[in-house]
Amino acid sequence: MPESGSGVISDTLPRARLIDGRASAARLRAEVARQVAVLAGRHGVTPGLAVILVGDDPASEVYVRNKGRQTLEAGMRSFETRLPASTTQAELLDHVARLNADSAVHGILVQLPLPGQIDELAVIDAIAPHKDVDGFSLVNTGLLAARGAGMIPCTPLGCLLLLQEYLGKLSGQRALIIGRSNIVGKPMLQLLLREHCTVTVAHSRTRDLAGECRRADILVAAIGKPQMIKGDWIRPGATVIDVGINRITVSSPDGPRQRLVGDVDFDAAVRVAGAITPVPGGVGPMTIACLLRNTVTAACAQYQIDASSLID
Ligand code: GUN
């Protein structure tokens, strides 16, 4: 029975496996907390993460609050700097320089986006590369591209860990990344190449995006356009990683309400894909868990502790 007469799709149709990012992130955070306890007990080291928030963007506020809470829950030290939207570039660079010099701080993150008067790239490159837990600096970008090493940006790292957990080895898979941002698309390309995928990066000028999607065994959507990727663009059985977090207004019996959706039309895609991340509860929780993991990696490197000696 493909469809009921009312237009409601029957629940007897196959549904993709749900990739449970909340559960994976909880396991990763527990492992990080265990490593933090070992670092403290065996080496007397407590990793510290400093986050700088400039301005009062509501979404950034939520992210920064969650980062601080989860940092403390993992047993690490959390340092928060909140600066007004009028902060000058020189003032922000001064804060970064102070954190670079602070031996209790092992990781530094400047929440993006920054207000227009500040040159984002200059600020990112002012963070000491060994404390750059976002992995956005030129040094870490170059290390990932040329050597498959360095600090790996948290969202693409989270996507990779989910793909490996659900698919195992990725070698030979045909992957399509939609979006070419420095935060997700470009580092995702490097990570999937490192895993021996055949990778295509699509973007706003790509011709026949639907056709590109239909060839992909793995689809990573990171474009920030609500529900843009349609169900019939997806190759049957493909694995879909939806990085988008978009707020839309939908009507309900109680009037209009806000809802979070991804870049993929989930309700249609879940009938075609083999596995798919929901929004919320997919990639999102993995990003902060990977940030905590990167902070432990950074702390280990700063004390010449072999991070693999902490792994269970
Ligand atoms: N804004 C949105 N995502 C990110 C991220 O991964 N790192 C930082 N610093 N800012 C962001």
Side-chain angles (χ1 to χ4, degrees), residues 143-182:
L143 280 171
L144 180 58
R147 313 223 176 129
M151 202 64 80
I152 297 172
C154 305
T155 299
L157 177 58
C159 295
L160 177 69
L161 295 177
L162 290 177
L163 283 168
Q164 288 175 323
E165 185 180 335
Y166 280 76
L167 294 178
K169 288 213 185 313
L170 307 179
S171 177
Q173 300 256 9
R174 200 186 294 265
L176 177 70
I177 299 162
I178 313 173
R180 53 178 159 176
S181 69
N182 290 335

Side-chain angles (χ1 to χ4, degrees), residues 60 63 67 109-113 134 136 153-155 183 287:
S60 293
Y63 290 135
K67 283 169 189 167
L109 179 147
V110 179
Q111 184 67 31
L112 304 178
D134 258 330
F136 294 162
C154 305
T155 299
I183 294 184
T287 297

Side-chain angles (χ1 to χ4, degrees), residues 238-251:
T239 303
V240 177
I241 303 290
D242 192 349
V243 181
I245 302 178
N246 310 288
R247 204 172 286 278
I248 61 167
T249 305
V250 292
S251 54

